[in-house]
Amino acid sequence: MGNDTADQLAALAERSGITVAVAESLTAGQVAAALGAAPDSAVWFRGGVVAYATEVKQQVLGVPDVPVVSETAATAMAEGVRSLMDADLAVATTGAGGPDPQDGEGPGSVWFCVASREDAQAVHRQYDGDPAQVVHQSVQYALELLLSTAKALTGSAPASATDDRVQPAIRPPVG
């Protein structure tokens, strides 16, 4: 059974011609798997990078020497994979799934960033649950963030500022 959010993104991407990429740490490729299983993904899904190790985040995606569970890291990951894959839109996930804290962030602390060719938007979420539940919630939110941003980019029912599920903070691109 497919993911409804990924399927909606697939339809919008195919109609509008936008391309999508992902950079994942906490979610370990599960966002890419959901996108790859969506209809006609070969047309619009450029690919992804699973960067679990700090060194990979830094060397492949251009993350500076900062805590990897941070807004700065998430933004660099999203911008790095968008550029690497030459995609119109990219999302990144990095966080502390638990049960232990990471980089001073408690379990369930997750940073997301979605980057387009024009800007980058980062958002933090705090999830409850065991590591598998945190990852599941993070995958779903990353897909919702991609869909919301794709709608805004294409003029297809832009995301509502009152939608508290997907409300990224607008930030200029790093660099």
Side-chain angles (χ1 to χ4, degrees), residues 118-167:
E118 289 77 38
D119 70 356
Q121 301 171 344
V123 63
H124 179 264
R125 289 288 181 260
Q126 182 68 46
Y127 295 116
D128 293 324
D130 64 31
Q133 292 169 320
V134 170
V135 169
H136 176 77
Q137 294 171 87
S138 298
V139 169
Q140 191 56 42
Y141 184 77
L143 293 170
E144 291 170 2
L145 189 58
L146 273 172
L147 179 59
S148 174
T149 304
K151 285 179 178 179
L153 282 177
T154 62
S156 304
S160 168
T162 61
D163 184 350
D164 64 354
R165 291 178 305 139
V166 181
Q167 191 175 22

Side-chain angles (χ1 to χ4, degrees), residues 78-94:
E79 291 176 338
V81 80
R82 194 210 58 73
S83 177
L84 182 67
M85 302 285 173
D86 191 27
D88 298 310
L89 188 62
V91 70
T93 64
T94 185

Side-chain angles (χ1 to χ4, degrees), residues 58-123:
Q58 293 171 338
Q59 294 170 9
V60 177
L61 297 172
V63 173
D65 190 14
V66 299
V68 294
V69 181
S70 67
E71 178 179 3
T72 300
T75 300
M77 289 171 66
E79 291 176 338
V81 80
R82 194 210 58 73
S83 177
L84 182 67
M85 302 285 173
D86 191 27
D88 298 310
L89 188 62
V91 70
T93 64
T94 185
D100 299 319
Q102 182 178 348
D103 290 334
E105 295 286 333
S109 175
V110 184
W111 277 98
F112 301 85
C113 183
V114 64
S116 69
R117 295 184 187 276
E118 289 77 38
D119 70 356
Q121 301 171 344
V123 63

